[in-house]
Amino acid sequence: ELKVEQNPLFLSMQEGKNYTIYCNYSTTSDRLYWYRQDPGKSLESLFVLLSNGAVKQEGRLMASLDTKARLSTLHITAAVHDLSATYFCAVDGRGSTLGRLYFGRGTQLTVWP
Amino acid sequence: DTEVTQTPKHLVMGMTNKKSLKCEQHMGHRAMYWYKQKAKKPPELMFVYSYEKLSINESVPSRFSPECPNSSLLNLHLHALQPEDSALYLCASSQVGVGGWNTGELFFGEGSRLTVL
């Protein structure tokens, strides 16, 4: 079974600082997703990374995918309080049957003034 | 329209009740999913429907019964639930490619928060 490891699980950072969340997975995959979840809310799609070397940016968040290293990163630039949420990466295993996404445990991000 | 709509948003039920969760999407997606999420945990896949046919059942207890009446609707029928079934139930949908594989991101609904007393 495909394993997805996210770290850190908890991240407390000051506004204005930069940080990176890491997502490692155990077997080959060409598809990786990043989701954001606010407390008590649903999952909001942030990025869909479909190929090796893919890099996507939206505001203060930038995601990248290295399929050879089986690693994705979510980089936060100049954090603001509004980014406080839980971030999940999810991997669609190659050859997996439809819809079987494997989620990491999530990174709970708190941004303080 | 990129929405997945779930009703009800909150549901409280006793262990002997029968209730249903409903999900609707109008994006033309032919794959629909039920996930269960406990607090501070990642979502866990329960069921997948592809072209209105059940394609994945993740060994979910029979007290949960999914139904896909048409390509836009997905129901989850609940009967004789246990308190440990209390969770956020998320519906999602996605496009399906020629090979039957998910071709892109899953769009999630707002979820139905279920409490079983």
Side-chain angles (χ1 to χ4, degrees):
Chain A
E1 180 177 300
L2 192 152
K3 304 284 186 198
V4 181
E5 286 189 10
Q6 235 178 291
N7 65 84
L9 298 182
F10 299 94
L11 177 56
S12 180
M13 58 191 296
Q14 192 175 14
E15 281 190 329
K17 299 294 187 183
N18 305 332
Y19 208 85
T20 300
I21 300 170
Y22 296 89
C23 177
N24 289 91
Y25 51 97
S26 60
T27 61
T28 304
S29 175
D30 293 329
R31 301 164 179 272
L32 190 135
Y33 308 87
W34 284 97
Y35 288 92
R36 167 183 172 145
Q37 187 173 38
D38 291 294
K41 302 291 186 181
S42 187
L43 280 80
E44 174 191 355
S45 177
L46 294 175
F47 300 107
V48 180
L49 303 169
L50 298 177
S51 61
N52 186 42
V55 177
K56 291 196 174 179
Q57 182 161 7
E58 180 74 33
R60 301 175 188 273
L61 300 177
M62 184 173 72
S64 67
L65 177 62
D66 181 343
T67 57
K68 292 185 177 134
R70 299 177 189 164
L71 170 69
S72 179
T73 61
L74 180 66
H75 186 72
I76 303 158
T77 302
V80 293
H81 177 71
D82 285 351
L83 290 179
S84 298
T86 298
Y87 294 84
F88 290 98
C89 66
V91 177
D92 193 346
R94 175 180 289 183
S96 69
T97 49
L98 176 67
R100 185 170 273 126
L101 290 188
Y102 297 85
F103 281 85
R105 291 174 61 190
T107 297
Q108 188 175 319
L109 171 65
T110 303
V111 181
W112 46 278
Chain B
D1 183 2
T2 57
E3 277 194 354
V4 176
T5 305
Q6 287 187 245
T7 56
K9 291 194 182 339
H10 299 274
L11 178 62
V12 180
M13 60 186 291
M15 290 190 284
T16 59
N17 291 156
K18 284 186 182 180
K19 297 285 184 184
S20 297
L21 305 181
K22 296 184 185 300
C23 175
E24 189 169 5
Q25 57 88 14
H26 294 289
M27 294 178 277
H29 291 169
R30 302 307 297 270
M32 297 186 76
Y33 312 77
W34 281 114
Y35 281 84
K36 172 182 176 180
Q37 188 179 25
K38 302 282 269 186
K40 300 192 184 300
K41 299 287 187 185
E44 299 174 6
L45 182 64
M46 300 176 71
F47 302 104
V48 181
Y49 273 83
S50 176
Y51 291 93
E52 296 89 70
K53 287 186 170 41
L54 183 65
S55 60
I56 297 177
N57 176 343
E58 291 285 86
S59 303
V60 179
S62 60
R63 57 185 184 269
F64 295 92
S65 175
E67 179 196 20
C68 190
N70 60 55
S71 60
S72 300
L73 293 175
L74 184 66
N75 298 322
L76 186 63
H77 303 298
L78 314 170
H79 173 53
L81 294 192
Q82 304 296 311
E84 58 264 29
D85 296 322
S86 298
L88 181 68
Y89 288 83
L90 294 164
C91 174
S93 70
S94 72
Q95 293 178 339
V96 179
V98 171
W101 291 2
N102 170 31
T103 59
E105 66 193 294
L106 270 62
F107 291 84
F108 283 88
E110 288 291 315
S112 293
R113 185 161 299 283
L114 173 67
T115 303
V116 182
L117 302 177

